[in-house]
Amino acid sequence: MKPKVEHNTIVQPFSVGWDPNDGIMDDPDNHIERFLSKIKGMFLDVDAADAYLTEQGDVKVYEVYEKTIPQRDGEIQFCSSITHPGQIGGEYFMTKGHFHARRDTAEIYYCLRGRGYMMMELESGEYVMEEMYPGRTVYVPAFYAHRSINVGDEALISLAVYPGDAGHDYGSIETAGFKHLVVEKNGKPDVIVNPRFGKVE
Ligand code: M6P
Ligand code: ZN
């Protein structure tokens, strides 16, 4: 049987409003909200996450607004990425992070608000971190897992743009995490090696 090709669905031209102050997109098709209670396992100090939940309740760590674009070569995905400020056991609030399912696809992030880092890591654990602040664009090359980390005290807001058929692969990140984590040390961001990296639970 021939594979089903989606190319007969043509996307109509459109535009969308998007507020650079709060990152909220008008009329999104998807609004993904990640609450601490659901993603606490990605922080190194899960006891600190539990204590946070008990003392301060559940909070939104990050959220994404997007329009639905067909996942195919030739289209472009774009979304508004909002990572809120906060820390768990000294580790800054961040996105889960992912590889692209199609590994040979890149992504750009154009930062509009806040202060943070893009952590980019190869499967081998080699990493590069780039600063994010308004007016700065980060190029995430193909093959790098990537995660936004908010080291400031307001939301870190970026526009992310990537190939239509890139997809998301969370597999190894959900089990082993990133090899490098960013924590606050003496009031400043510092990189530490994740003691859980490479250990499948
Ligand atoms: C950015 C983009 C999205 C991604 C989102 C949240 O906006 O890279 O593709 O989904 O961040 O990050 P994650 O998927 O790692 O949770
Ligand atoms: Zn991506």
Side-chain angles (χ1 to χ4, degrees):
M1 220 169 54
K2 277 193 184 167
K4 191 168 166 278
V5 182
E6 259 188 81
H7 287 260
N8 52 355
T9 40
I10 291 172
V11 180
Q12 290 299 314
F14 68 93
S15 61
V16 63
W18 178 58
D19 187 338
N21 292 309
D22 57 16
I24 297 175
M25 190 184 273
D26 301 337
D27 194 26
D29 294 323
N30 294 316
H31 179 203
I32 302 161
E33 298 175 283
R34 302 275 187 227
F35 284 89
L36 180 59
S37 58
K38 297 278 162 37
I39 56 170
K40 63 181 185 178
M42 77 178 184
F43 290 99
L44 189 55
D45 190 344
V46 180
D47 292 341
D50 283 330
Y52 188 111
L53 287 165
T54 307
E55 287 156 24
Q56 301 186 53
D58 210 357
V59 286
K60 224 187 277 181
V61 177
Y62 67 98
E63 54 195 307
V64 176
Y65 288 88
E66 61 189 6
K67 299 296 281 183
T68 301
I69 308 286
Q71 295 203 7
R72 65 186 183 216
D73 186 21
E75 303 290 354
I76 294 173
Q77 308 287 342
F78 71 99
C79 60
S80 167
S81 167
I82 305 164
T83 308
H84 293 285
Q87 286 183 12
I88 297 295
E91 197 178 359
Y92 298 102
F93 277 15
M94 59 192 170
T95 60
K96 272 203 287 191
H98 57 268
F99 284 99
H100 287 162
R102 210 188 117 184
R103 290 287 200 274
D104 60 343
T105 53
E107 182 160 349
I108 58 168
Y109 284 76
Y110 179 60
C111 181
L112 283 124
R113 188 156 188 184
R115 246 175 47 74
Y117 289 92
M118 181 63 66
M119 170 61 77
M120 293 170 272
E121 230 179 55
L122 292 170
E123 264 167 29
S124 61
E126 274 173 74
Y127 81 104
V128 179
M129 246 168 50
E130 287 293 330
E131 262 192 272
M132 300 176 81
Y133 51 85
R136 197 91 189 142
T137 301
V138 177
Y139 185 81
V140 180
F143 301 103
Y144 278 84
H146 40 286
R147 122 179 316 166
S148 307
I149 302 168
N150 185 346
V151 303
D153 48 20
E154 61 175 350
L156 176 65
I157 300 172
S158 308
L159 171 71
V161 182
Y162 55 102
D165 59 346
H168 294 77
D169 175 1
Y170 297 99
S172 62
I173 306 238
E174 278 178 355
T175 49
F178 276 67
K179 182 170 181 183
H180 298 92
L181 304 175
V182 180
V183 297
E184 187 179 83
K185 194 176 164 192
N186 302 326
K188 284 199 291 208
D190 190 41
V191 178
I192 60 165
V193 173
N194 179 359
R196 292 209 302 251
F197 183 74
K199 295 181 187 140
V200 179
E201 286 169 15

